[in-house]
Amino acid sequence: MAATSEGSGMKFTRRDLLVWSAGAAAGLVVSPVPWKILDDVSIWSQNWPWIPQPARGPVDVKQSFCTLCPNGCGLRVRMAGGWPVGVAGVGSHPISRGALCPLGFAAHQLNWHPRRLRVVQHHGQPSSWSEAQAAFAKARGEGPIVIIDGYPGRAASSVLKTFAEKQGGTYRVVTSSESRALAPYEAWIDAPSSSLGYDLENAQTVVSFGAPLLDGWGTPGRFTRLWAEKSAGMADPQLRLIQIDSSLSRTAARAWQRVQIREGSESALASGLARVLIEQKPVPAHGPIPALSLTEAATQTGLSPDAIRDLARTLVSHLPVLAIARDDNPAIAALNVVLGAVGARGGIVRRSTNNESYVSTDAGIPSARAVVIDGSVPWNFVPQTDTEIFRFAAWDGGAMKADWLLPAPGFLEELTDVPTAPTSSVETYAVATNLVKAPTEFMSAAQFLSVADSTLTPVDKIIHSRCEDLFRKHSGTLYGQDATPVARIASVQKLEEQFSKGAVWVREASPPGNLHCELKEWPAAPPESRGGSWATEWPIGVMPPLATKLYIESNLREAPERRNA
Ligand code: SF4
């Protein structure tokens, strides 16, 4: 039966709701996976002999956060006899707003997955934690250690970083494509890219260069909700999405306008648009003129010079406008500078005064005696080194080059804090409590390093001091059952109590214009766009059965005739 959203006159069905809530990050299952594999997974999943019987016991609902990727979506977890048996989004979460990706919806199944890692392995053979600790002690006695983190900013990250620094080693991060897309600004502004975000809520035109905004980009629910509220089904929407793509992606199919260009010509189009804006000045546009002529941009993109001129006029006809790249493409970042979108309302904003900058593994991994890879690092990250590797992971996602494979805590088995999501325009903080006690055979990288160096401050103490800090500053609002300004919270204990119940702290948005940006030369084109994201790289072999089912039974699946249309 079709449901109609009251007041808006807009119609959507139950099927639409599923796509709306689950589809935002559905890129993780709409990657080009052969159908045969999906079928096999479905058949296989129906016959699991090891499927646990649902626990008998009191049924309870708790709030927490999904930490399977750095988006940290709010979760409502149905617990039976102390075990999670169902997961839903939290509508009051200020960023994820009730949405989850299919992986999040099915995450409670992950801890029983057949590819769950349960024993320490050394060169593929069963080993033990004490042997791994002995090997690590030997390695750190012989030379520096490189530590790689896939979810920077957590209390656990602080343990990893401190260990590396104390030991004279190196801390590196593997970043998502959304974070990489903000990296080019670092060369032109006075702030690290980790303090930047997209002010989508105040943008009126968003031009996406291949970023899957309606299909797996950023925190699911944020852009899709905005789209549903301000645009879907409207001929003249309040929020215009222009999708530049070389094929008819799901986002392109639903966008207000779609522009098809040749694959890999995004930089050329950004240069052509910037040239038109600077030369013809339909709005005050400043910046260095790109070396590429309009004719060259047209040849490379497959568009005519007139089409590029028209597109430039469309972009600035409904301001503020914001360009979003799929990856670290500096020409698209430079287009934002020309559009005046950097440090402006509805553009790229500075969300925090955090000055911590991270060095990405893209900069290379220095030579070391050993490399420690945290469980937050995607499986497809393979360090280009032949040194000894200690790799933590909760599941075996394949392609994991490691001398030591170390079983890490799984879904909701570990106390962790939840720093701001990569694309958010406001700073947030939350704490995901371990709703399930991890069995003793699991250990996180932070715990492992704390065993190796007992002077490191443990994760729970770092979280406590971060809460004390928030309480002392008396700024921001805590979103739990109600929205409460931190200034009205009586004590740090009360604040921590709220956090343990799933509240989210949100700092007031910084005023626009707090960024100084100076672009002197038009940047050179990047070697190649890498696209993808942490969540989209979740391999099908470790997909929980419910996520596969969500995919097959919804219309998240791209119709074959649309692919590469
Ligand atoms: S987007 Fe990331 S944090 Fe959100 S539900 Fe999916 S895996 Fe979890």
Side-chain angles (χ1 to χ4, degrees), residues 358-396:
Y358 305 115
V359 182
S360 158
T361 48
D362 295 344
I365 296 176
S367 68
R369 170 59 182 80
V371 173
V372 175
I373 303 177
D374 185 58
S376 57
V377 173
W379 292 290
N380 64 358
F381 172 80
V382 179
Q384 299 308 309
T385 170
D386 37 20
T387 192
E388 191 172 19
I389 296 174
F390 294 79
R391 184 156 200 158
F392 288 79
W395 302 276
D396 179 0

Side-chain angles (χ1 to χ4, degrees), residues 546-558:
L546 179 58
T548 310
K549 201 168 161 60
L550 272 172
Y551 176 46
I552 290 176
E553 293 186 358
S554 72
N555 63 2
L556 300 175
R557 193 174 7 159
E558 216 171 347

Side-chain angles (χ1 to χ4, degrees), residues 379-460:
W379 292 290
N380 64 358
F381 172 80
V382 179
Q384 299 308 309
T385 170
D386 37 20
T387 192
E388 191 172 19
I389 296 174
F390 294 79
R391 184 156 200 158
F392 288 79
W395 302 276
D396 179 0
M400 292 198 292
K401 184 188 166 202
D403 298 275
W404 293 89
L405 209 45
L406 304 160
F411 180 65
L412 297 174
E413 285 182 342
E414 184 184 14
L415 168 73
T416 178
D417 52 353
V418 185
T420 315
T423 59
S424 177
S425 58
V426 286
E427 194 179 354
T428 64
Y429 186 75
V431 178
T433 47
N434 48 331
L435 295 183
V436 183
K437 195 172 173 333
T440 48
E441 68 254 38
F442 303 124
M443 202 187 288
S444 68
Q447 289 166 323
F448 183 84
L449 297 178
S450 298
V451 173
D453 178 353
S454 59
T455 65
L456 290 172
T457 311
V459 164
D460 58 341

